[in-house]
Amino acid sequence: MALFNLFNSKQVANGEIAPETNDNLQIVSDENEAPIEAKKDDEKKIITITWGTGMPIDVIFNFIHKNFEEEGFQDALINQDVAYRDIKEKIICNDLAMLFKRIVLRYKNDIREVEIKIDNARKAYALTAAARLESLKQTYEEHLSEIKEMQDKFAAEDPKMMTMIESYRRGFLKGITASTIEFIENK
């Protein structure tokens, strides 16, 4: 049956084969997020959208670009103290710092495993496999270099690395404004 489905499918840009059948529509932007289901013409289709490298560095990018505005807004409605906001910002920064450490450890472990596989491939004279593994190792090393650069920018509070803090502050200020307006209108 799968053989016949192969003929009824089309090649997608990234090399995957997408079926022509219209069963379910699921848009998945992150492995950790639940799929978003949508209906079209009373039928469901399956569509998977992938982006980024598909490697651990994507988790860091996702965290940095996460929108904390709603969280800041809700926090301000509960507690409008600026010290509370500062503590929450430190928590967000500490979460990112721990994420950096976890991802770096993951890459270092992956590099060690790839080096072992490279040695085994060379001993078995599987030179093509060894070359592919060398390429993978080089990608891991490039990602580690990028992460180191990101850590340095984060330590220097580069605006590109502080978008999650800025979105939290924006939400917090909106929350204070909304709470103040509500207070004034109720007087």
Side-chain angles (χ1 to χ4, degrees), residues 107-123:
Y107 273 113
K108 287 181 178 181
N109 182 56
D110 288 348
I111 288 172
R112 281 190 294 276
E113 288 180 10
V114 166
E115 287 173 343
I116 291 169
K117 290 181 182 195
I118 290 170
D119 289 340
N120 291 339
R122 285 188 180 143
K123 288 176 186 174

mmCIF file of all heavy atoms in Angstrom, residues 107-123:
data_model
loop_
_atom_site.group_PDB
_atom_site.id
_atom_site.type_symbol
_atom_site.label_atom_id
_atom_site.label_comp_id
_atom_site.label_asym_id
_atom_site.label_seq_id
_atom_site.Cartn_x
_atom_site.Cartn_y
_atom_site.Cartn_z
ATOM 1 N N TYR A 107 26.286 19.605 23.181
ATOM 2 C CA TYR A 107 27.146 19.637 22.002
ATOM 3 C C TYR A 107 28.491 18.970 22.276
ATOM 4 O O TYR A 107 29.010 18.238 21.428
ATOM 5 C CB TYR A 107 27.360 21.069 21.507
ATOM 6 C CG TYR A 107 26.289 21.528 20.553
ATOM 7 C CD1 TYR A 107 25.414 22.536 20.899
ATOM 8 C CD2 TYR A 107 26.149 20.950 19.298
ATOM 9 C CE1 TYR A 107 24.428 22.962 20.029
ATOM 10 C CE2 TYR A 107 25.170 21.376 18.416
ATOM 11 C CZ TYR A 107 24.314 22.379 18.781
ATOM 12 O OH TYR A 107 23.334 22.796 17.915
ATOM 13 N N LYS A 108 29.066 19.217 23.441
ATOM 14 C CA LYS A 108 30.350 18.593 23.769
ATOM 15 C C LYS A 108 30.212 17.076 23.800
ATOM 16 O O LYS A 108 31.093 16.351 23.318
ATOM 17 C CB LYS A 108 30.874 19.126 25.102
ATOM 18 C CG LYS A 108 31.394 20.546 24.998
ATOM 19 C CD LYS A 108 31.934 21.038 26.325
ATOM 20 C CE LYS A 108 32.494 22.444 26.196
ATOM 21 N NZ LYS A 108 33.038 22.938 27.471
ATOM 22 N N ASN A 109 29.127 16.590 24.358
ATOM 23 C CA ASN A 109 28.881 15.156 24.377
ATOM 24 C C ASN A 109 28.709 14.614 22.955
ATOM 25 O O ASN A 109 29.266 13.562 22.612
ATOM 26 C CB ASN A 109 27.638 14.844 25.220
ATOM 27 C CG ASN A 109 27.365 13.368 25.311
ATOM 28 O OD1 ASN A 109 28.218 12.598 25.722
ATOM 29 N ND2 ASN A 109 26.165 12.972 24.909
ATOM 30 N N ASP A 110 27.954 15.329 22.136
ATOM 31 C CA ASP A 110 27.750 14.896 20.751
ATOM 32 C C ASP A 110 29.071 14.864 19.988
ATOM 33 O O ASP A 110 29.305 13.960 19.179
ATOM 34 C CB ASP A 110 26.749 15.811 20.046
ATOM 35 C CG ASP A 110 25.319 15.616 20.529
ATOM 36 O OD1 ASP A 110 25.059 14.616 21.246
ATOM 37 O OD2 ASP A 110 24.472 16.471 20.206
ATOM 38 N N ILE A 111 29.935 15.844 20.231
ATOM 39 C CA ILE A 111 31.237 15.875 19.555
ATOM 40 C C ILE A 111 32.070 14.659 19.957
ATOM 41 O O ILE A 111 32.708 14.022 19.105
ATOM 42 C CB ILE A 111 31.978 17.200 19.856
ATOM 43 C CG1 ILE A 111 31.304 18.352 19.109
ATOM 44 C CG2 ILE A 111 33.455 17.100 19.470
ATOM 45 C CD1 ILE A 111 31.822 19.732 19.476
ATOM 46 N N ARG A 112 32.079 14.319 21.244
ATOM 47 C CA ARG A 112 32.826 13.136 21.689
ATOM 48 C C ARG A 112 32.301 11.868 21.002
ATOM 49 O O ARG A 112 33.075 11.027 20.548
ATOM 50 C CB ARG A 112 32.746 12.987 23.207
ATOM 51 C CG ARG A 112 33.693 13.901 23.951
ATOM 52 C CD ARG A 112 33.755 13.558 25.430
ATOM 53 N NE ARG A 112 32.505 13.798 26.134
ATOM 54 C CZ ARG A 112 32.120 14.972 26.628
ATOM 55 N NH1 ARG A 112 32.909 16.022 26.503
ATOM 56 N NH2 ARG A 112 30.978 15.102 27.256
ATOM 57 N N GLU A 113 30.982 11.742 20.926
ATOM 58 C CA GLU A 113 30.400 10.565 20.278
ATOM 59 C C GLU A 113 30.741 10.519 18.790
ATOM 60 O O GLU A 113 31.046 9.452 18.250
ATOM 61 C CB GLU A 113 28.888 10.556 20.474
ATOM 62 C CG GLU A 113 28.465 10.235 21.884
ATOM 63 C CD GLU A 113 26.954 10.236 22.065
ATOM 64 O OE1 GLU A 113 26.217 10.307 21.058
ATOM 65 O OE2 GLU A 113 26.512 10.164 23.227
ATOM 66 N N VAL A 114 30.719 11.657 18.127
ATOM 67 C CA VAL A 114 31.037 11.705 16.703
ATOM 68 C C VAL A 114 32.511 11.365 16.482
ATOM 69 O O VAL A 114 32.855 10.662 15.522
ATOM 70 C CB VAL A 114 30.683 13.093 16.106
ATOM 71 C CG1 VAL A 114 31.301 13.281 14.744
ATOM 72 C CG2 VAL A 114 29.178 13.256 16.012
ATOM 73 N N GLU A 115 33.382 11.844 17.369
ATOM 74 C CA GLU A 115 34.806 11.524 17.226
ATOM 75 C C GLU A 115 35.053 10.019 17.308
ATOM 76 O O GLU A 115 35.860 9.480 16.550
ATOM 77 C CB GLU A 115 35.615 12.261 18.298
ATOM 78 C CG GLU A 115 35.742 13.745 18.027
ATOM 79 C CD GLU A 115 36.403 14.516 19.159
ATOM 80 O OE1 GLU A 115 36.489 13.986 20.299
ATOM 81 O OE2 GLU A 115 36.836 15.657 18.905
ATOM 82 N N ILE A 116 34.357 9.346 18.197
ATOM 83 C CA ILE A 116 34.479 7.891 18.301
ATOM 84 C C ILE A 116 34.000 7.226 17.018
ATOM 85 O O ILE A 116 34.647 6.316 16.485
ATOM 86 C CB ILE A 116 33.692 7.366 19.521
ATOM 87 C CG1 ILE A 116 34.361 7.820 20.806
ATOM 88 C CG2 ILE A 116 33.554 5.848 19.481
ATOM 89 C CD1 ILE A 116 33.534 7.595 22.056
ATOM 90 N N LYS A 117 32.889 7.697 16.488
ATOM 91 C CA LYS A 117 32.365 7.121 15.248
ATOM 92 C C LYS A 117 33.294 7.395 14.069
ATOM 93 O O LYS A 117 33.435 6.558 13.173
ATOM 94 C CB LYS A 117 30.964 7.664 14.972
ATOM 95 C CG LYS A 117 29.938 7.137 15.958
ATOM 96 C CD LYS A 117 28.556 7.659 15.665
ATOM 97 C CE LYS A 117 27.606 7.130 16.727
ATOM 98 N NZ LYS A 117 26.230 7.267 16.369
ATOM 99 N N ILE A 118 33.931 8.564 14.063
ATOM 100 C CA ILE A 118 34.894 8.888 13.000
ATOM 101 C C ILE A 118 36.059 7.913 13.053
ATOM 102 O O ILE A 118 36.488 7.372 12.022
ATOM 103 C CB ILE A 118 35.382 10.345 13.119
ATOM 104 C CG1 ILE A 118 34.262 11.326 12.762
ATOM 105 C CG2 ILE A 118 36.599 10.588 12.233
ATOM 106 C CD1 ILE A 118 34.578 12.773 13.080
ATOM 107 N N ASP A 119 36.596 7.688 14.247
ATOM 108 C CA ASP A 119 37.709 6.743 14.400
ATOM 109 C C ASP A 119 37.312 5.348 13.927
ATOM 110 O O ASP A 119 38.068 4.688 13.206
ATOM 111 C CB ASP A 119 38.180 6.690 15.858
ATOM 112 C CG ASP A 119 38.911 7.953 16.289
ATOM 113 O OD1 ASP A 119 39.388 8.698 15.397
ATOM 114 O OD2 ASP A 119 39.003 8.191 17.511
ATOM 115 N N ASN A 120 36.132 4.900 14.325
ATOM 116 C CA ASN A 120 35.661 3.575 13.907
ATOM 117 C C ASN A 120 35.473 3.501 12.392
ATOM 118 O O ASN A 120 35.797 2.486 11.770
ATOM 119 C CB ASN A 120 34.364 3.209 14.618
ATOM 120 C CG ASN A 120 34.560 2.952 16.088
ATOM 121 O OD1 ASN A 120 35.673 2.659 16.535
ATOM 122 N ND2 ASN A 120 33.493 3.079 16.868
ATOM 123 N N ALA A 121 34.949 4.558 11.805
ATOM 124 C CA ALA A 121 34.742 4.571 10.356
ATOM 125 C C ALA A 121 36.079 4.541 9.621
ATOM 126 O O ALA A 121 36.230 3.844 8.606
ATOM 127 C CB ALA A 121 33.939 5.804 9.948
ATOM 128 N N ARG A 122 37.053 5.263 10.127
ATOM 129 C CA ARG A 122 38.378 5.251 9.477
ATOM 130 C C ARG A 122 39.043 3.879 9.597
ATOM 131 O O ARG A 122 39.687 3.426 8.667
ATOM 132 C CB ARG A 122 39.258 6.335 10.095
ATOM 133 C CG ARG A 122 38.878 7.716 9.633
ATOM 134 C CD ARG A 122 39.862 8.749 10.089
ATOM 135 N NE ARG A 122 39.455 10.059 9.624
ATOM 136 C CZ ARG A 122 39.588 11.167 10.314
ATOM 137 N NH1 ARG A 122 40.140 11.149 11.501
ATOM 138 N NH2 ARG A 122 39.192 12.309 9.808
ATOM 139 N N LYS A 123 38.888 3.250 10.758
ATOM 140 C CA LYS A 123 39.468 1.915 10.947
ATOM 141 C C LYS A 123 38.816 0.906 10.005
ATOM 142 O O LYS A 123 39.459 -0.049 9.578
ATOM 143 C CB LYS A 123 39.304 1.468 12.397
ATOM 144 C CG LYS A 123 40.213 2.206 13.353
ATOM 145 C CD LYS A 123 39.938 1.807 14.787
ATOM 146 C CE LYS A 123 40.762 2.660 15.752
ATOM 147 N NZ LYS A 123 40.405 2.383 17.158
#
